[in-house]
Amino acid sequence: SQSIFYARKNRVGEIDGSSIGYVEYSNRIDAMTRIYQTMWGREAFSAEEQDMVREMAWQSMVMDNAFRPGFEKLGVYPTAKEIEDMMLDVYVSPVISRVFSNPETGQYDPAALRDFIRRKDMDESGRMQLLWEYIQEQANDERATSKFTNLVDKAMLVTDLEVEAGVKEA
């Protein structure tokens, strides 16, 4: 009875049937805060930015608990080879090209990626490694989402014969 009340009190929501607790959500917010502090190069955020970080934390939990397991079941989550290709310029992930673009031209800059990886390996705080893991996760999720969308688009393709038959029935 008291443990049920305590469990409900510390629950912040539910994702795909899984209860999300306050501590789990708070830890995700902390991780996202460190990621965005590293990305933005500053420690303090405005109230609006803090709200955005909390929303990003929740969305990452939705991806972890709902979308990613479904993508894996469908076989659309990137394979190890695809992931390697996304990081080695064979197929540049839109996430990678956005993050590592030349600020003057807006074009993807492979040298910026190489420089980041070099600096990441020298960062003793671990923040750049955390950011790198986040970037890779976002690239993988973007790839899976894109593959899923393409799969759905192809499944919903209507042939000319189907259109013609539909028009005749109407």
Side-chain angles (χ1 to χ4, degrees), residues 2 10 20 26 30-32 52 58 66 89 95 121 123 131:
Q2 187 165 351
N10 288 306
I20 304 300
S26 180
D30 290 346
M32 282 297 189
M52 188 209 71
W58 184 257
D89 296 342
V95 172
D121 293 338
D123 174 31
L131 176 56

Side-chain angles (χ1 to χ4, degrees), residues 26 56 76:
S26 180
M56 294 302 293
V76 296

Side-chain angles (χ1 to χ4, degrees), residues 25 29 32 49-62:
Y25 179 54
I29 291 170
M32 282 297 189
E49 289 168 333
Q50 289 172 357
D51 287 345
M52 188 209 71
V53 168
R54 282 191 289 277
E55 176 62 22
M56 294 302 293
W58 184 257
Q59 291 305 318
S60 75
M61 295 179 86
V62 169

Side-chain angles (χ1 to χ4, degrees), residues 2-117:
Q2 187 165 351
S3 63
I4 292 172
F5 175 74
Y6 181 77
R8 284 187 182 153
K9 181 179 171 189
N10 288 306
R11 189 178 133 208
V12 294
E14 187 175 299
I15 300 172
D16 199 30
S18 297
S19 182
I20 304 300
Y22 174 78
V23 172
E24 182 183 6
Y25 179 54
S26 180
N27 288 342
R28 187 64 60 101
I29 291 170
D30 290 346
M32 282 297 189
T33 298
R34 287 190 304 278
I35 288 166
Y36 280 92
Q37 285 170 333
T38 304
M39 279 178 41
W40 294 338
R42 56 191 164 88
E43 297 294 313
F45 299 152
S46 69
E48 185 176 283
E49 289 168 333
Q50 289 172 357
D51 287 345
M52 188 209 71
V53 168
R54 282 191 289 277
E55 176 62 22
M56 294 302 293
W58 184 257
Q59 291 305 318
S60 75
M61 295 179 86
V62 169
M63 180 59 77
D64 288 353
N65 290 282
F67 290 109
R68 197 173 297 126
F71 290 157
E72 288 170 355
K73 281 182 190 173
L74 287 171
V76 296
Y77 207 74
T79 64
K81 176 68 173 133
E82 281 179 288
I83 292 168
E84 182 182 331
D85 288 351
M86 288 188 307
M87 304 302 154
L88 297 176
D89 296 342
V90 175
Y91 158 77
V92 179
S93 163
V95 172
I96 299 292
S97 64
R98 265 193 316 272
V99 173
F100 300 103
S101 62
N102 181 314
E104 295 170 11
T105 65
Q107 298 297 309
Y108 169 63
D109 183 2
L113 173 59
R114 287 189 299 275
D115 182 55
F116 176 85
I117 291 171

